[in-house]
Amino acid sequence: MQSYTIGQAARLLGVSPDTARRWADAGRVATHRDDSGRRLIDGRDLAAFSIEVAQGAHAEEDAPYTSARNAFPGIVTAVKLGDVAAQVEIQAGPHRLVSLLTREAVEDLGLEVGMQATARVKSTSVHIDRT
């Protein structure tokens, strides 16, 4: 499973590294240390936490509304595989994106909960790039 540094987690959550560090210090998201002593966040834990953060952001009346053009880098929070089709959810800061694509595409990209991915939006289609 992929793990993320505090800085990487901050970028995926759409906050500053100081904010992500404070959240980790407060125990809002679990961390562990690698062999060199860096604090890391497990991908699955970060995926779950990103949903929690986004839900909290929607509750705030002063939450900013911005356009991120058409690329939404984030973290995969859910993968649902069918026989032929699949559904992938990405939390990109406060934005939750859902893409319907083929099961084969999901398997070729190796998408799983906790990994980085970028959703690209064109009209009504969402394309996923593994990052």
Side-chain angles (χ1 to χ4, degrees):
M1 171 52 52
Q2 186 168 356
S3 293
Y4 299 91
T5 65
I6 296 290
Q8 290 170 323
R11 184 176 54 79
L12 292 169
L13 294 168
V15 298
S16 73
D18 286 337
T19 296
R21 195 172 296 109
R22 281 193 300 273
W23 287 341
D25 290 344
R28 289 189 60 191
V29 62
T31 63
H32 63 278
R33 297 211 181 254
D34 66 7
D35 293 336
S36 64
R38 293 182 311 165
R39 283 198 309 181
L40 301 175
I41 302 170
D42 177 75
R44 288 190 183 274
D45 292 339
L46 184 58
F49 185 64
S50 70
I51 294 170
E52 177 186 323
V53 169
Q55 289 171 343
H58 289 301
E60 298 174 13
E61 290 183 25
D62 295 333
Y65 294 95
T66 63
S67 169
R69 306 274 296 174
N70 67 341
F72 294 83
I75 187 166
V76 176
T77 57
V79 176
K80 298 173 187 166
L81 296 174
D83 291 337
V84 176
Q87 178 179 312
V88 175
E89 295 181 25
I90 293 177
Q91 193 70 46
H95 308 288
R96 175 180 169 263
L97 296 110
V98 179
S99 179
L100 301 175
L101 56 164
T102 65
R103 179 186 181 118
E104 181 181 9
V106 171
E107 290 171 346
D108 286 350
L109 290 169
L111 295 175
E112 61 183 39
V113 171
M115 70 184 328
Q116 292 183 52
T118 300
R120 297 198 186 276
V121 180
K122 182 177 180 192
S123 187
T124 59
S125 300
V126 177
H127 303 270
I128 305 294
D129 294 341
R130 181 175 173 180
T131 53

